[in-house]
Amino acid sequence: MFRHVKQYQYHAKPEKADPIFAKQMQELIGGQWGEMSVMIGYLFQGWNCRGPAKYKDMLMDTATEEIGHVEMLATMVARLLETSPVEAEEAANGASDGGIVASVLGGGDTQSAIINAAMNPQHAVVSGMGATPRDSMGNPWNTGYIVASGNLLADMRFNVTAESQGRLQVARLYQLTEDPGVRDMFSFLLARDTMHQNQWLAAIEELEADGLEDTPVPSNFPQEREMSGVAYQFMNFSEGEESAEGRWANGPSKDGKGKFEYVASPEALAPEFGELSEVDPRLYGTPKQPKSPASS
Amino acid sequence: MFRHVKQYQYHAKPEKADPIFAKQMQELIGGQWGEMSVMIGYLFQGWNCRGPAKYKDMLMDTATEEIGHVEMLATMVARLLETSPVEAEEAANGASDGGIVASVLGGGDTQSAIINAAMNPQHAVVSGMGATPRDSMGNPWNTGYIVASGNLLADMRFNVTAESQGRLQVARLYQLTEDPGVRDMFSFLLARDTMHQNQWLAAIEELEADGLEDTPVPSNFPQEREMSGVAYQFMNFSEGEESAEGRWANGPSKDGKGKFEYVASPEALAPEFGELSEVDPRLYGTPKQPKSPASS
Amino acid sequence: MFRHVKQYQYHAKPEKADPIFAKQMQELIGGQWGEMSVMIGYLFQGWNCRGPAKYKDMLMDTATEEIGHVEMLATMVARLLETSPVEAEEAANGASDGGIVASVLGGGDTQSAIINAAMNPQHAVVSGMGATPRDSMGNPWNTGYIVASGNLLADMRFNVTAESQGRLQVARLYQLTEDPGVRDMFSFLLARDTMHQNQWLAAIEELEADGLEDTPVPSNFPQEREMSGVAYQFMNFSEGEESAEGRWANGPSKDGKGKFEYVASPEALAPEFGELSEVDPRLYGTPKQPKSPASS
Amino acid sequence: MFRHVKQYQYHAKPEKADPIFAKQMQELIGGQWGEMSVMIGYLFQGWNCRGPAKYKDMLMDTATEEIGHVEMLATMVARLLETSPVEAEEAANGASDGGIVASVLGGGDTQSAIINAAMNPQHAVVSGMGATPRDSMGNPWNTGYIVASGNLLADMRFNVTAESQGRLQVARLYQLTEDPGVRDMFSFLLARDTMHQNQWLAAIEELEADGLEDTPVPSNFPQEREMSGVAYQFMNFSEGEESAEGRWANGPSKDGKGKFEYVASPEALAPEFGELSEVDPRLYGTPKQPKSPASS
Amino acid sequence: MFRHVKQYQYHAKPEKADPIFAKQMQELIGGQWGEMSVMIGYLFQGWNCRGPAKYKDMLMDTATEEIGHVEMLATMVARLLETSPVEAEEAANGASDGGIVASVLGGGDTQSAIINAAMNPQHAVVSGMGATPRDSMGNPWNTGYIVASGNLLADMRFNVTAESQGRLQVARLYQLTEDPGVRDMFSFLLARDTMHQNQWLAAIEELEADGLEDTPVPSNFPQEREMSGVAYQFMNFSEGEESAEGRWANGPSKDGKGKFEYVASPEALAPEFGELSEVDPRLYGTPKQPKSPASS
Amino acid sequence: MFRHVKQYQYHAKPEKADPIFAKQMQELIGGQWGEMSVMIGYLFQGWNCRGPAKYKDMLMDTATEEIGHVEMLATMVARLLETSPVEAEEAANGASDGGIVASVLGGGDTQSAIINAAMNPQHAVVSGMGATPRDSMGNPWNTGYIVASGNLLADMRFNVTAESQGRLQVARLYQLTEDPGVRDMFSFLLARDTMHQNQWLAAIEELEADGLEDTPVPSNFPQEREMSGVAYQFMNFSEGEESAEGRWANGPSKDGKGKFEYVASPEALAPEFGELSEVDPRLYGTPKQPKSPASS
């Protein structure tokens, strides 16, 4: 069960409206690596967790924090889309055609024309100057972006990825704006993403220290059932051998169970490219030979 | 540019047809973590790579290998769906109603009824007993599953995840079949996933050793611009303090730049839940007060 | 069975081409609340209807009208994208680089540059200056937007929503253009949406008057099977009690069967946050305790 | 900002595992009308709200409650998928092949065969016996299901719909199970949906009483700009006149601003089906006459 | 503008209910190649058509026919899902638990168990025994399946494909049922698909005869601008030369403008695999050399 | 199994960066008719092929070539997005704010403002100036675009379509750029699309010559089972008889098995618009008459 506290975890107001940046910033809300992905991803990982209580509690802690991050970002987008109350009132009285909404409504200068042409039309037509749960190109967020597999090491590797891609995107958007209010809020998000990258890396260390999971995931699948001969071979399928210079081609494997080997010319392990069997005539696929009609 | 070699990297034939397992196994082809995801993901990471040649070459090596893995799996699904040539020929002559296709076509016993009812209808109606580029529930594979960000550490963390989730799914499917041919092929895939988990972990080590990237990603964003006070705090947003027991709440941070701190009762850092500005009347959102009609 | 009449239900020509508005206007064709949604939604509601004939006939009446609305809008978009015949002919002769298509093809002034940069690329590359069945951000229309549940009250509530969101979007787009031809056509659509909002509200009144359905939907589920204690309680899960001031917290419930009650501090009705059972080792989820390998 | 309370709002345990019902029940989590839709829909409506505080607070109250409903349902699905701890332990020791997981793993009796064939494969392969954020046919939940338009009457009509479709689906699933634990939890959800249908209907009453919005939405669009002649006409586009018998064809309109009129043979209001202009040859559409090649 | 005639173009009733076949048959309604695709595809091709009137009229003729085909199929699915009126009445009185719905509701025999487990849950829970606008695996139909490019030859080639895949799927489903009513309706659809394949092939002939379009599409792109040396070469990128035996490798090209040539060992035409330029440090991609932090 | 050759099949460098064209050109990579569609489509057709070896080999040849086309296009997009190394270095030193990335980062002139506003935000934020596997409007590529039916004639008709739509789109994009490097690469792609249109048309000729398949597809479905009376009738469902003038309405049918007939006023072949049966009360659909509550 959840409770809502009527304060933002952190917030700052933009200095001025900027619908183009509002469009770009949507990536952080409803993009593949936006805050909705970590919010919903961590919630389902927590709810489905059958492991030790400290992991489940930790997942619920951070999942709950992330709901508040979507809240912060949605509010920021709404503010980047709004005119000041004064402008709005004047516009209502027909006394003004200034401001962002006026631009959207067809103001005449070049900047207005650019904003009108390039802004996200759904910010005007669908959400009425509110944030949408979509990315910067308008794609609806969907749960094909997340995972909750029940295997905590597999999932925490995903979580490190999500926080890495997420922090990378905030850093790039930081370069796309000079608004001090937006940058202020981003400085908070960047710091939390720093924490969360560290947190999931620490959780991975802990899972291994607790003896619960290890590389290769899943580690309690009996490894003698895999084909050991190819389990530590790097295979060179692309012309050139620059790839021979990397750590992945030399020395002990990272799981400590093998030694990397470089295969410069990988050969097929299956001697022939056997044909598929004949098609069933009742399914009307193309056979190897002409056939008389199927009956049924 | 690519060339196709007319052999499978590894292959084995199923002992007998099994349309239900064929449905389940589709997860490994067109699922979120199926082989299409690593194939297309690694290709785009390689094509977009602006880093050192050894990384680009290595990405192209493994991407190219993965095309061959989709090939192996598609062939296996096609074989799990097929009748023997003998049955097919008899069926064409009306002499037999046995076999899997016959079951699909309405054979009378309980097993046939179950197969007919529960198999993937698209295996009969759409692909004519071939594999489809979809998952076990029939969702089309899509590129919302993958990433190529230009930041190799962020992407290689994704790759470790993909190989972990992928190996986990092969291991689970291994338990869902007893067919020795299928298990034989899985033993190969499990081993390659073992290698690939090790490979991406080694590549992460190398990126850090080369001084190209580090935690937190992106590491060359000037860290003084983030709000340092919250960069190493674990925040307890879920009732109970089991999460205080973990590595993420104690000791030096994993990036070596801070010290984890446990915040038992995280407070909002924004004093008030400020209201959004008034809506522009020309967008017909609900205002705080009744308004007279907008004109334009 | 349907017949096509070779006239538009209503139509007007735009005064001049406007590819940016054509992009924005796509929301009315292939958006979540565009005319395709009401067309396909009402068709399936009509086809699946098992209720009295007057409802089925009425659904088919309005569904059929809506096909004509998509026709009107698609034609309008095609015209907003076209050059005059003169320009086109001159362009073919190399005698002119004016007009909208010329802009798309790289004309030099600022307005052309804006149009070229911001227009929907698919209007040029995919549809060749025709309408597409997509929204203003290019998302394909899909049937996840609609419903035909077999319960007419549930569905007609959806229909009121669709006509409300639809009319809201036309009104907003009305503000984004000053073209008299476009506004003329919008004046027709706005009036029909007025009718359709009224129509579905009247249909709801009729369903209740006919004794076929009522609040709460579905009304013939035996209400004694629901937990009556919480059926009319408003629960305050967000800090602050502004929500206590609303009609939903005071007085008789809208279905006339209860009395609204305000619960200022809702308590959990489940005493403990019970743990999930242990994971099956053969599925390789993370267990509470280290385990030896599963065998199979 | 949000906090998580470590109790379920309401919960009950299923009497026994039932993977088929777990598959069907996913509709209530990640379906078009599942609890994720009301959770995310109400959150965005609340965050984007620019209207009076009582509405925003109320939206946040119920949005927050709904997060807890997803929690309850996800836990129920996880339990419907699990074996008892005893079975799991025995299975690990090879001492048992009973239970649901065993069925999935290929137990021999007919019931096991049916469960293995028909269960959601992703419950075994992807989530490891946890809930997924998808519907009963495995479609990922996406934000194309929801709306937050900034117009509260338009949105609250959506909310009434969502609670109606949602309660209808719970009632239908109630008929598909006889498990007393599941039915117990459903009795809670049915009651909350009763409340929420009443709540949104009351909120609609309040919006009208407050003078903030009315039919037709948006009511502050100047109605003289719509084509009044067709604003209250019911048009009979489907053969037969059963539709003339309904409330929508007779009497005053529901908004009190007009009178319904039945148009038995609606005529086109546009005299001719004008042709589109000639295609620009540089876009290679099919022209009315053969053309010589375009150059550029 | 359209009108609805209250008769089916053709119809037949199923002999008995069959929810499993209803699930499979959904492919013909909302599948990639189902009737919704030809209905919506032909409508948009007709609406966007800028070519001669006979093509536009013909497109509208067949588009309008296809709306009626969706109608027929939706009705058939609804009937395959329904109990007889007698059963329904008895069930309402508690006097019977027979029939299909009873099976869904948990009747005890094996056939009922199979139907309950394997039927499309959305037929019970979402549509209440009506057809859904989705495919046999429950994927929503979407407009990514169709095209209206403005080039009639390109589009009519798509239309031939659609009618070929469509007739193939009807033929396969014909084999999956023995119900004489269903087969009767399929005999009608098969015949119309025969006509439509012939129709689009005839339209292709006509477009070429009218001098409007030809191979290669688009034929009025000045062919001297393409690299003529590779315009008629077959390139052998897969080991083995079986492909040398086909018509595509020998004789005059189909457009009559060249001669097929077989290239047994295709060489790259670009001498080197040039590197991408250095990444901009402000976008935090991985560079070729370690860099000091970017500032901004 | 595949191998990667470290050369482009053909390549050319753009004369200068152009992020707007990079956005538009994405249609050729990840659009419905982009190169990913032919790459993945032909791979699955080849892998699933049960017909003669020459077809399977030919499919693998061209599928493998297409992987290299995606490679060429992805590289071109990456180059259209990049600054020169000099600019990048200066930017890192704070010595320059020129170049494309600088524009994205907020340079002041009008052209920079347009580029910043209208470019694909994901090129900056998600892929860091690399290509994405998406179309020009940012939609993820998905396998709902392709088909591999097992029937080679049905599929090769699809392939002709894909190459026609693809060449049409390249020709249109050719008009949208004047960059000689881009046009150079397009001249190669146009020529290969010319070949591939010819190739699939030749393959269709060969399939018919080999006696493997013919019109109507599938030709070995016993044609006496279709309703012959309507198999060659053109039905005029749209007002006006312009469609009577076409080849599809006159002369022998294209399959040589019938004669086209024009039906000016098509009549329904089903005498009545029969009602659906009564709804089962336990599913809570709307009945024809009020009912007492269902129990269960």
Side-chain angles (χ1 to χ4, degrees), chain C residues 3 7-8 17 21-22 25 53 56 80 83 136 148-149 170 187 190 202 220 247 258 274 284:
Chain C
R3 295 194 191 279
Q7 288 172 288
Y8 297 105
F21 192 71
M25 229 190 87
K56 181 165 188 145
L80 285 165
T83 52
S136 62
S149 73
V170 177
S187 75
L190 286 159
N220 65 329
R247 175 66 183 82
Y284 309 109

Side-chain angles (χ1 to χ4, degrees), chain C residues 147-163:
Chain C
V147 72
S149 73
N151 183 297
L152 292 181
L153 182 46
D155 288 359
M156 285 175 186
R157 285 172 169 177
F158 178 83
N159 299 354
V160 180
T161 308
E163 300 287 350

Side-chain angles (χ1 to χ4, degrees), chain B residues 37-79:
Chain B
S37 291
V38 286
M39 161 190 170
I40 304 287
Y42 299 166
L43 283 172
F44 273 86
Q45 289 175 27
W47 290 330
N48 286 344
C49 182
R50 299 178 191 270
K54 66 182 169 188
Y55 294 101
K56 181 165 187 142
D57 185 38
M58 185 261 276
L59 282 161
M60 294 311 300
D61 284 336
T62 307
T64 306
E65 178 179 355
E66 302 290 6
I67 314 177
H69 289 194
V70 182
E71 182 177 61
M72 289 160 56
L73 287 162
T75 304
M76 181 59 86
V77 166
R79 285 190 167 138

Side-chain angles (χ1 to χ4, degrees), chain A residues 1-9 29 36 39-40 43-44 47-48 50 56-57 60 64-65 67-68 70-71 74-75 78-79 81-82 126-134 139-144 146-150, chain D residues 1-9 29 36 39-40 43-44 47-48 50 56-57 60 64-65 67-68 70-71 74-75 78-79 81-82 126-134 139-144 146-150:
Chain A
M1 206 172 81
F2 295 78
R3 295 195 192 279
H4 180 242
V5 179
K6 223 170 261 164
Q7 288 172 288
Y8 297 106
Q9 189 186 6
I29 296 176
M36 288 185 73
M39 161 189 167
I40 304 288
L43 283 172
F44 272 86
W47 290 330
N48 285 345
R50 299 179 192 270
K56 181 165 189 144
D57 185 38
M60 294 310 301
T64 306
E65 178 179 355
I67 315 176
V70 181
E71 181 177 61
T75 304
R79 286 192 165 136
L81 288 167
E82 78 194 5
V126 177
S127 68
M129 301 302 175
T132 62
R134 303 188 168 222
N139 295 293
W141 184 87
N142 76 81
T143 56
I146 65 167
V147 73
S149 72
Chain D
M1 205 171 84
F2 295 78
R3 294 195 192 281
H4 180 242
V5 179
K6 223 170 261 164
Q7 288 172 286
Y8 298 105
Q9 189 186 4
I29 295 176
M36 288 185 72
M39 162 189 169
I40 304 287
L43 283 172
F44 273 86
W47 289 330
N48 285 345
R50 298 177 193 270
K56 181 166 188 143
D57 185 39
M60 295 310 302
T64 306
E65 178 179 354
I67 314 176
V70 181
E71 182 177 60
T75 304
R79 285 191 167 138
L81 288 167
E82 80 194 3
V126 177
S127 68
M129 301 302 175
T132 63
R134 303 189 168 220
N139 294 292
W141 184 87
N142 75 83
T143 56
I146 65 167
V147 72
S149 73

Side-chain angles (χ1 to χ4, degrees), chain B residues 199-239:
Chain B
Q199 171 179 333
W200 302 118
L201 289 169
I204 287 169
E205 181 188 315
E206 185 100 341
L207 279 166
E208 294 171 352
D210 287 349
L212 292 174
E213 192 54 274
D214 212 335
T215 299
V217 168
S219 58
N220 66 330
F221 180 84
Q223 208 164 345
E224 65 276 14
R225 287 174 179 268
E226 74 179 26
M227 190 178 298
S228 59
V230 299
Y232 299 101
Q233 288 184 332
F234 182 90
M235 295 187 186
N236 176 44
F237 280 100
S238 176
E239 210 177 35

Side-chain angles (χ1 to χ4, degrees), chain D residues 40 49 62 98 109-110 136 193 207 228 234 250 279:
Chain D
I40 304 287
C49 182
T62 307
D109 62 291
T110 298
S136 61
D193 287 353
L207 279 166
S228 58
F234 182 89
N250 302 284
V279 70

Side-chain angles (χ1 to χ4, degrees), chain A residues 162-175:
Chain A
E163 300 286 349
S164 302
Q165 302 283 354
R167 192 171 183 274
L168 178 62
Q169 295 187 354
V170 177
R172 285 167 172 173
L173 281 159
Y174 191 98
Q175 300 288 5

